[in-house]
Amino acid sequence: ARDTEMPLTLEGLRALGRHNAETAQLTLLYVVLGAESIDPQEPLHDYFADRFDMARRLTQLILDNEVAAGRVRADVDTEQTAAEIMATLMGIEIQWLTAPERFDLAKRFEAYIDRLITELAP
């Protein structure tokens, strides 16, 4: 079996775009169901609200660990940056799902994370 775990670092986040592209049907399912569950009356609303909270918290933990390791500046608002990373990933996923032949999810997300690593470095 192939190891799909990514390191809990900003560098490790680069693999997330490729993973989501390789699991395209699952990515599509989560994007569509997540959008359909925006209304609080929808049965999966709480599941997706909790899932998004967990993803932001995990991303913030990664950033906090990067600050502690000296790879990210101490003045970075890790909560805000985590929300921005998740928003960027979700936006890139929608663009890719709409026209995968025109838009490379893995390449775009890797480029975003690479730029972020540079911008957040001490």
Side-chain angles (χ1 to χ4, degrees), residues 12-72:
L13 279 180
R14 293 178 88 252
L16 192 54
R18 182 157 316 285
H19 169 76
N20 289 1
E22 290 172 353
T23 58
Q25 288 302 106
L26 188 59
T27 299
L28 175 62
L29 178 70
Y30 275 105
V31 168
V32 171
L33 287 176
E36 289 177 346
S37 298
I38 290 173
D39 184 334
Q41 301 305 313
E42 290 295 326
L44 290 175
H45 174 81
D46 290 343
Y47 170 80
F48 279 97
D50 292 346
R51 185 174 188 272
F52 295 145
D53 285 345
M54 188 239 2
R56 285 190 305 273
R57 283 194 311 270
L58 177 59
T59 306
Q60 183 178 0
L61 176 64
I62 289 169
L63 291 165
D64 289 340
N65 288 341
E66 294 283 68
V67 169
R71 290 185 291 268
V72 168

Side-chain angles (χ1 to χ4, degrees), residues 85-112:
I85 290 170
M86 295 313 303
T88 299
L89 176 59
M90 293 171 75
I92 288 172
E93 286 174 345
I94 291 169
Q95 292 177 67
W96 169 70
L97 287 166
T98 301
E101 70 285 352
R102 298 184 203 175
F103 196 89
D104 187 327
L105 168 62
K107 178 180 160 187
R108 298 292 179 145
F109 193 67
E110 287 170 2
Y112 168 70

